[in-house]
Amino acid sequence: MMQPNLVQLAQSGDANAIAILMNSTLHAIGVTARVVVKEDDLYILLESEHVLAQNSCTEFIRRGIARLGMAWLSSAVIYSRIVGEPAPLWVQKIELTDTEFINPFVLAPGTMLDSEGGALRRLPTPIPRRVRLFDLLLLGFPLLVVVTSIQIWSRYLSNGWYAPSATAPSQVDPQAANPSKTTTSAKPDAIEAAMRQASGAVQQGKTAKTRVEWRQAADQWGKAIALLESVSASHPKAAMAQQKLEEYQRNLAFVAKDHLSLSGMELKKTIAGGISPKSVVYSGDDLFFAQNMMYSHTITVYDREYQLVKTISDGVKLSDFGYSQYKGSQQGAPVEAAFSHDGKTAWVSNYEMYGTGFSSSADDTCSPSSNNDPSFLYRIGTGTLKVEQVVKVGAVPKFVATTPSDRYVLVSNWCSWDVSVVDTHKNKEIRRIQLGPYPRGIAIDRKSEKAYVAVMGSYDIAVINLKDFSVKWLKDIGHSPRHLNIDPEGKYLYATLNGEGQVAKIDLSTGTVVSKIATGEAPRSMAISADGQFLYVVNYNSDSVSKVRTRDMKVVQTVSVNPAPIGITYDAKTHQVWVACYSGSILVFQD
């Protein structure tokens, strides 16, 4: 039985107490509430697996707040969000009056405190809302409702309101919210706005051919539906709104059934034909570069229609590019690629060089004392698909990364234990930064201020200041960090741990590991979705790819692929994931 002093705490404005009391009832219908108190306003986030009807849900919360007896409260703002989605489906503000505060809030399903003596008496047990087919369909779409209070929502997100801790809501500073901008009821033009959205959805559907285009149509239907659901029963055109609502729901169901899949990653295409891709990288401008096994001496280039555009040979004459000490012809051994942020230039690392002037004796078991030959970085124009320039770097270069500013290219040199910094304006290495045994993956923040380098021969990740090239460290991250991704906001870094078989999530504000997750045997490379919500991890020895939700580091899907998946890239425009399998194929998944 709930203690009466919990009610007293809630009546005094304790956010945690309010949340506990609300959840004692809401959990019975599959809803979780989080609460923030700001002066005389209450902010409530409702999270559920299905879509909540706005009107009935608002009335349910209004009555619950009234029973709690918080006479000081002037308004409550309700946000309804599907679990795992980045933004609310709807937002509703409730204005409260003194006459509404009758007696304490429900303590558990079917019980409440008597307003006079604290004795418990029965209330009708809440009836769980029936999940409609439409609700289930909505789970597949990120339907973002355009409401005037979305700025409040975004600020709460940035302050970490949804931390797993039950006490997290009380730690948020609600000062960022601006209740005056939240709508108190459906806007007078909500129906008209919904009809405009529906008209856009119809036009989109007339020309839609790809999954992405159909998804855009579905998003527009979803926004129209959300607008109509905000229309109150007292609205003069409520009957028409209800009629349109049912019509739009049918249209969305049709789009979902006939043109979209709700099951996550699905195999779209298998590309083969004499290839052995070590890595595959998306240019950001309709091209995909696959660097084939080093003895193939080729880079195969594909377009979005999965057609082979060109096979680029790694054969060069270094003397043609100003390196006169190298006579005759040479070949490389492509490993990884990175693109300039306009997609017009590809930088490709070569494990080692062959031909005149090179001993071709590189090996993964090495050190600076091994005196391995230096290698070269190729600069390839995506317009010409030819090697346009070469840059001398360290021994056995592997990973390549470009800064968002396109000022520098960074190359991790496996055997010389350092990182080459290449000035893109000069096409020249301008600095070497010593890091220790076996630097591998590189991630650069969006401001081009810091580069993170995984050092596989350690438990640490180097942090390079790109202004003065000084180095700091993220210590004890995990055994043999290999590949790195940074989220779009720059708050978290993700690392595959080759020595542990796990993926780590690192909070960059503290430099500590938030959590680790096992995805499969030998997780190697990763790709991150454009919104930072998902990681796609190749598991080399498990012959699989895992889709990881970054919010809670949960594996939400694992798909089988061909043997030895080792490289992966993500196309934000089409939401497709390209997987390079060393055994001789590229698999393309639609997500």
Side-chain angles (χ1 to χ4, degrees):
M1 184 179 295
M2 200 72 67
Q3 297 181 1
N5 62 2
L6 194 58
V7 175
Q8 294 170 358
L9 286 171
Q11 289 173 338
S12 68
D14 186 289
N16 289 333
I18 296 170
I20 292 170
L21 291 172
M22 294 183 74
N23 283 316
S24 67
T25 296
L26 293 173
H27 281 172
I29 57 173
V31 181
T32 298
R34 297 178 185 271
V35 176
V36 171
V37 175
K38 166 66 170 66
E39 296 177 351
D40 57 353
D41 296 309
L42 188 66
Y43 297 88
I44 304 165
L45 169 72
L46 301 178
E47 289 187 298
S48 59
E49 294 288 346
H50 59 272
V51 179
L52 300 178
Q54 184 169 354
N55 292 337
S56 58
C57 183
T58 300
E59 184 59 26
F60 181 80
I61 294 296
R62 178 194 292 275
R63 292 180 181 179
I65 291 173
R67 292 191 183 99
L68 188 54
M70 295 185 294
W72 51 270
L73 190 63
S74 64
S75 70
V77 182
I78 306 171
Y79 301 80
S80 174
R81 188 185 81 162
I82 295 292
V83 173
E85 291 296 324
L89 287 174
W90 54 262
V91 181
Q92 182 72 50
K93 185 176 181 180
I94 306 173
E95 298 289 354
L96 301 167
T97 62
D98 291 341
T99 58
E100 290 183 281
F101 297 101
I102 313 164
N103 44 34
F105 191 77
V106 179
L107 296 180
T111 62
M112 66 173 286
L113 286 177
D114 185 273
S115 59
E116 302 220 16
L120 291 170
R121 60 186 179 85
R122 299 296 299 174
L123 285 176
T125 301
I127 300 174
R129 175 175 173 270
R130 182 170 61 89
V131 180
R132 298 169 294 169
L133 172 62
F134 172 64
D135 297 333
L136 295 174
L137 291 171
L138 282 182
L139 291 175
F141 310 114
L143 307 178
L144 308 182
V145 181
V146 181
V147 292
T148 55
S149 57
I150 197 69
Q151 188 175 10
I152 298 175
W153 170 261
S154 300
R155 291 178 181 177
Y156 278 142
L157 276 179
S158 65
N159 280 295
W161 198 16
Y162 306 112
S165 169
T167 61
S170 65
Q171 297 169 354
V172 178
D173 179 10
Q175 187 65 40
N178 186 353
S180 64
K181 292 186 179 181
T182 307
T183 54
T184 58
S185 61
K187 290 184 176 180
D189 63 345
I191 298 175
E192 182 182 345
M195 293 174 69
R196 286 198 298 269
Q197 286 284 353
S199 177
V202 170
Q203 293 304 315
Q204 178 74 17
K206 288 180 179 179
T207 59
K209 295 180 181 179
T210 68
R211 175 185 168 87
V212 172
E213 291 168 342
W214 280 112
R215 186 166 208 160
Q216 291 169 349
D219 286 349
Q220 288 182 298
W221 283 122
K223 291 175 182 179
I225 288 165
L227 284 165
L228 291 177
E229 286 186 331
S230 72
V231 177
S232 68
S234 60
H235 193 285
K237 296 182 179 180
M240 184 179 78
Q242 183 61 35
Q243 181 182 1
K244 290 290 183 183
L245 176 62
E246 294 172 0
E247 175 189 339
Y248 296 173
Q249 288 172 347
R250 288 194 298 270
N251 291 343
L252 177 57
F254 169 78
V255 172
K257 178 181 178 182
D258 286 21
H259 300 288
L260 293 169
S261 169
L262 306 182
S263 59
M265 287 192 294
E266 292 186 346
L267 183 62
K268 181 80 172 179
K269 181 71 174 180
T270 298
I271 301 171
I275 59 173
S276 53
K278 172 79 171 178
S279 64
V280 60
V281 184
Y282 171 51
S283 72
D285 190 27
D286 299 340
L287 293 178
F288 298 81
F289 275 38
Q291 288 60 240
N292 291 301
M293 186 266 292
M294 57 189 290
Y295 303 119
S296 299
H297 297 293
T298 61
I299 302 162
T300 45
V301 182
Y302 305 91
D303 60 21
R304 276 214 177 91
E305 284 67 49
Y306 322 116
Q307 299 299 311
L308 177 63
V309 177
K310 186 176 182 179
T311 298
I312 303 173
S313 169
D314 64 5
V316 294
K317 289 185 177 181
L318 295 177
S319 58
D320 289 348
F321 299 100
Y323 293 91
S324 57
Q325 67 271 36
Y326 297 102
K327 308 300 181 182
S329 299
Q330 291 80 28
Q331 286 181 297
V335 181
E336 296 276 0
F339 288 86
S340 60
H341 285 71
D342 60 9
K344 295 181 179 179
T345 302
W347 298 88
V348 179
S349 61
N350 288 281
Y351 186 90
E352 62 180 333
M353 300 299 293
Y354 296 80
T356 306
F358 297 95
S359 64
S360 303
S361 60
D363 191 278
D364 270 5
T365 303
C366 55
S367 69
S369 62
S370 303
N371 294 317
N372 295 97
D373 290 332
S375 189
F376 281 79
L377 186 66
Y378 287 0
R379 176 173 177 164
I380 300 174
T382 56
T384 63
L385 296 181
K386 295 180 179 179
V387 178
E388 298 177 342
Q389 190 57 260
V390 301
V391 179
K392 190 175 183 180
V393 291
V396 188
K398 292 207 171 183
F399 202 81
V400 189
T402 58
T403 60
S405 65
D406 282 332
R407 174 68 188 281
Y408 300 122
V409 179
L410 273 63
V411 186
S412 55
N413 300 309
W414 183 263
C415 289
S416 51
W417 293 8
D418 53 27
V419 167
S420 293
V421 180
V422 174
D423 187 315
T424 60
H425 299 156
K426 299 177 181 178
N427 290 307
K428 182 180 179 180
E429 180 191 68
I430 60 170
R431 186 178 293 266
R432 289 276 189 91
I433 303 172
Q434 286 291 325
L435 295 180
Y438 312 131
R440 188 56 168 83
I442 304 171
I444 302 174
D445 69 5
R446 63 181 181 178
K447 294 182 180 179
S448 302
E449 294 177 348
K450 294 180 180 178
Y452 301 87
V453 183
V455 181
M456 276 190 68
S458 72
Y459 287 74
D460 308 326
I461 295 173
V463 185
I464 300 174
N465 184 320
L466 294 178
K467 293 181 179 179
D468 61 12
F469 302 107
S470 60
V471 179
K472 295 184 179 180
W473 294 90
L474 299 174
K475 291 286 189 178
D476 300 320
I477 300 302
H479 189 193
S480 299
R482 183 185 188 276
H483 191 94
L484 301 178
N485 283 139
I486 190 168
D487 85 280
E489 298 300 318
K491 293 181 179 180
Y492 297 101
L493 186 70
Y494 303 94
T496 55
L497 303 176
N498 198 64
E500 298 179 13
Q502 298 191 92
V503 179
K505 179 179 182 179
I506 304 154
D507 186 336
L508 290 177
S509 65
T510 62
T512 58
V513 175
V514 175
S515 60
K516 293 181 180 179
I517 181 70
T519 58
E521 292 185 34
R524 294 288 181 89
S525 300
M526 297 183 294
I528 190 167
S529 61
D531 57 10
Q533 292 190 55
F534 296 101
L535 290 171
Y536 304 89
V537 185
V538 295
N539 305 304
Y540 188 77
N541 290 339
S542 296
D543 300 336
S544 65
V545 175
S546 296
K547 180 179 177 180
V548 178
R549 186 170 60 208
T550 56
R551 174 172 58 84
D552 54 5
M553 292 302 284
K554 179 180 179 181
V555 176
V556 295
Q557 186 184 11
T558 298
V559 295
S560 297
V561 296
N562 292 338
I566 192 167
I568 192 166
T569 194
Y570 179 79
D571 181 353
K573 186 175 180 179
T574 62
H575 305 284
Q576 290 185 346
V577 180
W578 290 52
V579 181
C581 296
Y582 216 5
S583 53
S585 61
I586 298 172
L587 275 60
V588 183
F589 289 88
Q590 183 68 61
D591 188 25

